[in-house]
Amino acid sequence: MQTIKIPKTDLTPSLLCLGGVPLGSVLDERRSFALLDAFVAQGGTFLDTARVYADWLPGERSTSEKTIGRWLKQRRQRNRLVIATKGAHPELTAMHRPRLDRASIVADLDQSLRNLQTDVIDLYWLHRDDPLTPVAVILDTLQDQLRAGKIRAYGCSNWRAERIAAAQACAQSQGWPGFVADQMLWSLAAVAQETLPDPTMVAMQGALFDLHAASGLPALPYAAQANGYFQRAAEGTLDGMNAASRLLYDTPENRRRSQAVQALAAETGRSISAIVLGYLLGQPFPVLPIVGCRTVTQVEDSCSATDAPLHAAEIARIEGRAGDGTPVPAETFPVQ
Ligand SMILES: NC(=O)c1ccc[n+]([C@@H]2O[C@H](COP(=O)([O-])OP(=O)(O)OC[C@H]3O[C@@H](n4cnc5c(N)ncnc54)[C@H](OP(=O)(O)O)[C@@H]3O)[C@@H](O)[C@H]2O)c1
């Protein structure tokens, strides 16, 4: 798999990042290790997890980080991989109460280092934002962690465009690197911010897209495969999809996009997965999709689908726009 250097860092991870939610929760240790082994066998070197994965399930806390930590140790992979994890998520029982204060960030980071059995996190994400905490205060805490050698770089997740712009301006004025990447909900599927099940999540659209396009800030989209919506729509297995995901994605606009994806697949011989990931990889700034595979077959399918970024005209066609941004008349838009 291709690798890509993240600007302002010495990190050169694989283009695809493997999402850690299922590790140690819906997948037991044996199947988690098999998934991680399969990803590495495909050339994957980039893992994404979080202190809170998967604390919404009963039982042990931070099972994803702990499982990755045991796998890294047992397989002696730590120095080959780029490990990204997140902190500063609200308590799951108090999502309205942000945790962007210094004590919470430092406590979360120290816990993640222990869980992952490592001395340093390669890329540390703020999982959420608190618009009432000044960006200078938050960055000052992160810079201290950088200087202490506990993290190599930091990024934001679920931050709105104006807050990222403020943080980057503050970093520049201080001579700090600032956020080296941004993690948001984004895929080929159209999703309205208002329909997200969790209002503290941020979807890629409007001002946020413009910020990435203007600054070249790398995007690491999560739910990058729309939870398998387009593959399931093509196979006719939408009835087996998780109900919440189907509610979010199975809209008239995404049914239309799905027809366009299937038409493009038939014309070009590309797989549905290659078009779904190619849509992100063909954007006008660096994109490293986070894929949430649950089986080894899905890992292999997703990893083999990274070499065909869509052209701007193909992206416009799927979005139902002409290349110049105007809507495409229905009759010129081939559907099956
Ligand atoms: N920053 C944040 O707030 C945030 C939020 C959410 C997630 N994340 C990160 O992003 C990661 C990925 O999120 P996600 O799980 O929503 O991503 P996703 O890749 O869009 O969805 C994963 C689901 O897609 C299906 N799938 C995966 N590969 C497939 C393939 N090759 N062909 C067909 N279907 C396939 C599977 O569905 P089935 O199980 O139905 O087979 C799988 O469970 C997470 O693990 C986490 O690391 C971050």
Side-chain angles (χ1 to χ4, degrees), residues 31 62 67-70 87 115 133 154 184 252 274 278 313 335:
R31 290 198 296 157
S62 305
T67 302
I68 291 172
R70 287 191 290 271
N115 292 339
T133 303
Y154 53 86
M184 76 300 292
V335 290

Side-chain angles (χ1 to χ4, degrees), residues 137-316:
V137 172
I138 297 171
L139 294 189
D140 191 49
T141 300
L142 291 169
Q143 279 298 126
D144 283 346
Q145 311 316 302
L146 207 64
R147 281 186 216 104
K150 294 200 270 182
I151 60 177
R152 290 204 164 93
Y154 53 86
C156 58
S157 179
N158 300 300
W159 277 48
R160 292 179 186 273
E162 64 277 13
R163 286 278 291 174
I164 298 177
Q168 301 299 68
C170 168
Q172 196 176 12
S173 72
Q174 297 290 330
W176 296 338
F179 295 136
V180 301
D182 172 28
Q183 192 176 139
M184 76 300 292
L185 183 136
W186 189 25
S187 70
L188 188 150
V191 173
Q193 178 72 40
E194 319 76 72
T195 63
L196 296 182
D198 170 357
T200 66
M201 287 175 160
V202 170
M204 177 66 104
Q205 53 196 9
L208 190 58
F209 184 94
D210 294 343
L211 180 146
H212 279 273
S215 66
L217 180 68
L220 273 88
Y222 61 82
Q225 302 181 106
N227 299 164
Y229 172 77
F230 295 99
Q231 290 93 337
R232 283 185 177 278
E235 291 161 3
T237 59
L238 278 176
D239 284 345
M241 192 173 189
N242 163 291
S245 298
R246 186 166 185 187
L247 189 68
L248 183 65
Y249 291 117
D250 195 17
T251 61
E253 170 58 15
N254 289 330
R255 280 179 224 133
R256 188 197 61 70
R257 289 187 180 206
S258 173
Q259 292 297 313
V261 168
Q262 289 173 52
L264 192 59
E267 284 166 30
T268 61
R270 278 181 279 191
S271 68
I272 301 292
S273 300
I275 294 173
V276 168
L277 292 173
Y279 172 86
L280 294 170
L281 299 173
Q283 300 292 333
F285 47 83
V287 180
L288 295 87
I290 307 175
V291 293
C293 302
R294 198 178 37 82
T295 66
V296 167
T297 307
Q298 288 175 350
V299 169
E300 290 169 351
D301 179 52
S302 299
C303 289
S304 65
T306 57
D307 49 4
L310 298 197
H311 301 302
E314 293 171 323
I315 290 174

